[in-house]
Amino acid sequence: CDVHSAVFKGSIEEIHAPADVSQVPGHPTHTLKAENEAITAHINERIRPLLSRVQEGKLATQTLLPEIGALLAIDLHYSRKENLLFPYLEQHGVTAPPKVMWGVDDEIRALLKDAAKLAAKGSPETAEKLTEALTRVEEMIFKEENILIPMLIETLSAGEFSNVARESGEIGYCMIAIPPVWQASSAAEATTAPAAPVSGSVQLPTGFLSIPELGRLLDTLPLDITFVGADDTVRYFSQGSERVFPRTKAIIGRKVANCHPPASVHIVEGIINDFKSGKKDHEDFWIKLGDKFVYIRYFAVRDETGTYLGVLEVTQDIKPIQAITGEKRLVSLAGRNRTGLRA
């Protein structure tokens, strides 16, 4: 990717004519370009002047830390690209460029984090690491502007771009104000056919699952869930391998008040009444149970209009979670595997 962009630098603009959609505020390609302009301005106007003075010995290395920290917001730019734009390219059979670019994005993230750590320590190695990071960022901007964006415009439909624009706010934006949400000019253009659901599956707003998949998925969750409907009857409970509290199918359809000891019924009813009235949306409890530390959470379930649908009870032994220290990352696991160690 680096070699290709270097070879064609200066001639790619002649190959790709400027695209009108990338000039429209709110269009995902326009947003990418706006962020690239903001990133470039931050590098040229904020970081490089400070970096030069640090290299001359006129400023302490720690002076760079706030500006590097601000540049770390580039993660939002890359995350939106990787999680919104790349999936659509892949659906069209364009798989290699996203994979390569994502790898470079991760390298840039790592370089910037390393530079921030070195700056915080006042290390003399900061300037070299930061210079490398800035070069990689600028190279990625060139690739996005001259390779990725033309590829997106060639490949994605108006409906797909509409979906990207609509969901971009879920991830966020880098160094720019929230842009307007771009929409396709007609209903026909905005229609994007979703992946075809499997016959007999349950269609959900964000995908589909077969009944066996749905059942096993819920039972595989590392916690117990129970759902009580708006009529205060038990509708469902999961059957994980390590349940905290016993449940039997006999409780399905039973009034939730009858599922608790008389001494605690008034507490349960109070929680439900607060949920129904809108006074509360959740309530938490925690108890020691033998060698377990049990976290019990109740959530009001509402539809998009706020109408009460029921209560979700979530129970989990959090003692193993409390014992976690340090970090374990996927990249660490990959590193161990590359050296021949078993995961």
Side-chain angles (χ1 to χ4, degrees):
C1 193
D2 291 336
V3 172
H4 289 168
S5 63
V7 168
F8 288 106
K9 208 162 194 172
S11 62
I12 289 182
E13 290 181 5
E14 298 171 11
I15 299 170
H16 296 293
D20 290 339
V21 289
S22 68
Q23 307 302 318
V24 180
H27 191 278
T29 56
H30 180 278
T31 301
L32 285 177
K33 287 187 171 185
E35 288 181 330
N36 282 338
E37 288 177 6
I39 292 165
T40 300
H42 184 74
I43 290 173
N44 292 336
E45 297 170 15
R46 302 289 301 177
I47 297 181
R48 289 201 186 278
L50 286 177
L51 181 57
S52 294
R53 298 188 70 188
V54 167
Q55 289 172 317
E56 293 167 0
K58 296 179 180 179
L59 286 176
T61 303
Q62 287 89 341
T63 311
L64 289 164
L65 192 56
E67 303 304 338
I68 300 172
L71 187 56
L72 283 168
I74 203 169
D75 176 63
L76 296 173
H77 178 85
Y78 293 159
S79 292
R80 224 175 48 257
K81 180 173 65 173
E82 294 154 358
N83 295 290
L84 272 175
L85 293 167
F86 286 178
Y88 285 111
L89 286 176
E90 290 158 6
Q91 288 175 24
H92 287 280
V94 181
T95 57
K99 187 177 295 185
V100 172
M101 195 169 278
W102 195 330
V104 178
D105 291 346
D106 282 343
E107 291 171 4
I108 293 171
R109 289 179 173 108
L111 285 168
L112 287 172
K113 289 176 182 176
D114 288 346
K117 290 177 183 176
L118 291 170
K121 295 176 182 176
S123 171
E125 299 174 7
T126 303
E128 182 181 353
K129 183 68 69 174
L130 181 56
T131 299
E132 181 185 1
L134 297 181
T135 299
R136 299 299 296 278
V137 168
E138 290 166 339
E139 288 173 350
M140 178 54 71
I141 288 173
F142 177 83
K143 294 165 191 172
E144 288 178 357
E145 299 275 329
N146 296 286
I147 299 172
L148 177 64
I149 289 175
M151 185 184 299
L152 289 168
I153 293 169
E154 267 184 32
T155 308
L156 270 60
S157 69
E160 288 166 336
F161 275 128
S162 289
N163 292 343
V164 171
R166 187 168 55 250
E167 296 186 14
S168 289
E170 293 290 327
I171 296 174
Y173 303 94
C174 171
M175 296 185 173
I176 63 169
I178 298 174
V181 176
W182 180 86
Q183 293 182 343
S185 58
S186 69
E189 285 181 331
T191 302
T192 301
V198 178
S199 177
S201 63
V202 177
Q203 183 70 54
L204 299 168
T206 54
F208 54 87
L209 296 163
S210 69
I211 297 297
E213 287 172 340
L214 180 59
R216 293 309 302 161
L217 182 154
L218 294 171
D219 289 344
T220 304
L221 290 173
L223 39 81
D224 301 339
I225 61 174
T226 302
F227 178 68
V228 176
D231 60 355
D232 300 338
T233 63
V234 180
R235 301 286 188 83
Y236 170 81
F237 65 89
S238 61
Q239 302 181 84
S241 58
E242 298 182 12
R243 292 202 59 85
V244 175
F245 298 117
R247 294 279 191 274
T248 69
K249 294 178 183 178
I251 69 169
I252 302 301
R254 189 183 189 191
K255 286 291 183 180
V256 68
N258 297 333
C259 299
H260 292 80
S264 62
V265 168
H266 69 287
I267 299 174
V268 174
E269 290 177 335
I271 293 171
I272 292 175
N273 288 336
D274 285 346
F275 286 175
K276 287 182 176 180
S277 69
K279 183 179 179 180
K280 291 183 179 180
D281 286 319
H282 70 89
E283 190 72 74
D284 300 343
F285 302 91
W286 45 95
I287 60 173
K288 290 183 178 179
L289 195 64
D291 62 347
K292 298 177 179 179
F293 193 77
V294 181
Y295 192 26
I296 307 165
R297 312 192 72 188
Y298 296 94
F299 298 91
V301 180
R302 309 184 193 279
D303 66 13
E304 61 276 5
T305 67
T307 301
Y308 175 79
L309 300 178
V311 180
L312 175 67
E313 179 192 78
V314 180
T315 306
Q316 185 177 17
D317 175 16
I318 62 170
K319 188 174 181 180
I321 298 174
Q322 291 178 312
I324 294 174
T325 60
E327 291 186 343
K328 178 181 178 181
R329 296 172 176 264
L330 285 173
V331 290
S332 301
L333 183 62
R336 288 200 298 274
N337 287 341
R338 279 197 298 270
T339 59
L341 299 177
R342 297 288 181 181

